[in-house]
Amino acid sequence: MKIYVALFVAALSGAIGETFFSYGMRSFGAMDWTKPSRILDLIFVVARNPYILTGVVFAAGFFYLYLTGLSWVDLSYAMPLTSLSFVFATFFARYALDERVSWHRWVGTAVIVLGISLVVLDHHPRTAAGEDEAAGREATGSLPG
C-alpha cells in the first residue's frame, strides 16, 4: 500500500508543480530563443516568480517520492504509476488554468488511465531477480554493477 500512496502523491505533486509552472510562465510570455536578452529575462523571472518557485517545491516533492518509490519497486512498475500526473495535469489545466481541453486530449488521458490500470494488475512490483540482487548487496555492502 505504501507504494501506491507514495507514487500517487508523487504524481499529484508533479502535476501541481507543472500547473504552477504554467501559471507562472503565463506572465513571462512566449520564449524567443533568437534573442539572448530573453534568456536572461527567463532566468530572472524564474528566480523571482513565486508561482514558479512553488512549482519547484512541488517538483522536488515529486522527485523525492519518485526516488523512494524506485527503492521499493521496479522502474517498469513505478514509471507508469507516476504517469497519473498526466491525468491530474489535464484536470488542473481544465479547471484551475481554465484551458480548453479537446476531446482528443480527454481520450488520450483515458488511454493513460487504461495503461496504468494494466500495470497495477501486475501484483509483482519487484522482480525476483531485483529482490535477490538487493538482498545480496545488503549482505555484502556492495554497490550494483
Side-chain angles (χ1 to χ4, degrees):
M1 183 54 107
K2 68 181 180 182
I3 296 165
Y4 299 114
V5 171
L7 294 178
F8 180 88
V9 174
L12 186 60
S13 296
I16 292 170
E18 294 293 335
T19 303
F20 275 105
F21 290 152
S22 180
Y23 188 81
M25 287 307 294
R26 288 178 183 196
S27 66
F28 180 72
M31 182 62 192
D32 183 359
W33 289 99
T34 63
K35 297 179 182 173
S37 64
R38 198 71 173 137
I39 296 170
L40 289 175
D41 292 342
L42 178 63
I43 292 169
F44 291 124
V45 164
V46 167
R48 293 185 309 213
N49 188 306
Y51 297 106
I52 293 174
L53 294 175
T54 302
V56 168
V57 170
F58 278 99
F62 163 81
F63 187 65
Y64 173 78
L65 290 167
Y66 182 61
L67 290 178
T68 300
L70 287 175
S71 74
W72 296 331
V73 299
D74 290 340
L75 173 64
S76 61
Y77 195 84
M79 190 69 184
L81 292 180
T82 59
S83 66
L84 267 175
S85 65
F86 294 111
V87 176
F88 295 139
T90 303
F91 279 94
F92 292 150
R94 172 62 189 98
Y95 298 107
L97 299 176
D98 201 31
E99 293 181 7
R100 283 194 229 161
V101 179
S102 70
W103 71 270
H104 295 97
R105 295 180 194 182
W106 287 117
V107 170
T109 301
V111 169
I112 292 169
V113 170
L114 178 63
I116 294 167
S117 300
L118 291 173
V119 171
V120 169
L121 289 174
D122 180 3
H123 297 291
H124 299 92
R126 177 72 80 180
T127 57
E131 291 172 2
D132 294 342
E133 291 172 16
R137 283 194 303 273
E138 288 176 13
T140 63
S142 65
L143 295 174

